[in-house]
Amino acid sequence: MAIRRILTVDNAADLAVLKQVSKDVPAVDDGLRALMDDMLETMYDAPGIGLAAVQVGEPLNVIVMDLAREGDPPAPLYFVNPKITWASEELYVYEEGCLSVPEVYDEVERPAKVKLTYLNYQGETVEEEAEGLSAVCFQHEMDHLAGVLFIDHLSRLKRDRAISKVKKARRAA
Ligand code: K1U
Ligand code: ZN
C-alpha cells in the first residue's frame, strides 16, 4: 500500500485532471483493489472521510469512504462504477470540505436521500439507500467523478476566493 499525492485546485495541471470526467472500470481485479487500498490509506492519512480516484490522478469511477466515528473501528467502503438511481426532492444542507480544496468549508444543498448501485471490493453488485452524512459524502464523491468540485456549487465570488485562499496557503507553506 502507498500514500498517493492528492491533487489540489491551486495547481493548474492538477485542476485540469480534477475537471476530467472519470470512466467506468471494466472489472474489479487485483490491480483495482491495489488502487483502492492506496486510496484508503491516502484518505486516512489526509485525514478525510471520502476520496475519489481522480483526486489521486486516476480518472476512474472509483470511490472510497469511511464514516466511522472517532474511536470506533475502521469501516472502509468501496464503490466501483457507482450510479445514483434516485434522489429525494427533500434537500439537506451540510458544511462540506474537500481534500482537493484544503482548509475551505462551505454549505452545499443536495438531495437528502439517494438510492445507489455499485460494485463492492469483491466485485458484487450492491443496491442501497443513503441519507445524512453518508448521502452528502457519496454525492460529493460522485461530483468528483463528473469533474465537479463542491466549490462549483458556490457563487463565482466564493469559488474564486476559495481558490485564492488555497494558493495563498501554499505560498506561505
Ligand atoms: O472528497 C474529498 O475531498 C474528501 C472530503 C469528503 C467530504 C467531507 C465533508 C462533506 C462532504 C464530503 C473530506 O473528507 S474533507 C475532510 C473531512 O471532512 C474530515 C476530516 C477529518 C475528520 C472528519 C472529517
Ligand atoms: Zn472532494
Side-chain angles (χ1 to χ4, degrees):
M1 288 209 281
I3 294 171
R4 309 254 193 133
R5 186 177 73 83
I6 297 176
L7 278 48
T8 54
V9 295
D10 53 298
N11 175 308
D14 285 4
L15 185 57
V17 177
L18 288 166
K19 287 282 163 194
Q20 286 184 26
V21 177
S22 293
K23 293 198 163 43
D24 273 355
V25 297
V28 181
D29 57 16
D30 286 346
L32 187 71
R33 278 187 278 268
L35 169 64
M36 293 194 284
D37 293 346
D38 283 358
M39 287 170 60
L40 201 71
E41 194 178 2
T42 304
M43 185 194 81
Y44 286 141
D45 178 70
I49 56 172
L51 195 71
V54 69
Q55 292 179 275
V56 293
E58 305 279 357
L60 299 170
N61 285 331
V62 178
I63 292 167
V64 296
M65 288 172 33
D66 189 333
L67 304 176
R69 290 169 193 276
E70 215 178 314
D72 285 353
L77 298 168
Y78 307 88
F79 304 88
V80 178
N81 298 344
K83 306 276 178 296
I84 291 175
T85 56
W86 173 84
S88 65
E89 281 182 25
E90 182 196 348
L91 301 175
Y92 181 67
V93 177
Y94 191 85
E95 187 173 68
E96 300 190 12
C98 180
L99 298 175
S100 296
V101 194
E103 307 301 327
V104 173
Y105 299 88
D106 214 326
E107 290 186 340
V108 178
E109 188 176 53
R110 301 181 184 274
K113 295 179 188 171
V114 288
K115 285 183 183 167
L116 46 136
T117 179
Y118 60 92
L119 303 177
N120 64 15
Y121 195 81
Q122 284 75 37
E124 301 156 340
T125 300
V126 180
E127 289 179 27
E128 59 192 27
E129 191 167 327
E131 61 181 314
L133 179 58
S134 173
V136 170
C137 190
F138 184 73
Q139 291 176 81
H140 175 114
E141 302 308 333
M142 287 298 287
D143 268 358
H144 275 300
L145 305 188
V148 174
L149 297 164
F150 88 99
I151 54 173
D152 296 330
H153 291 279
L154 308 178
S155 67
R156 189 186 190 106
L157 179 67
K158 281 189 168 186
R159 189 167 64 241
D160 290 348
R161 276 192 188 153
I163 294 175
S164 298
K165 186 179 173 185
V166 178
K167 283 184 177 165
K168 202 172 162 191
R170 281 278 179 241
R171 279 198 302 269

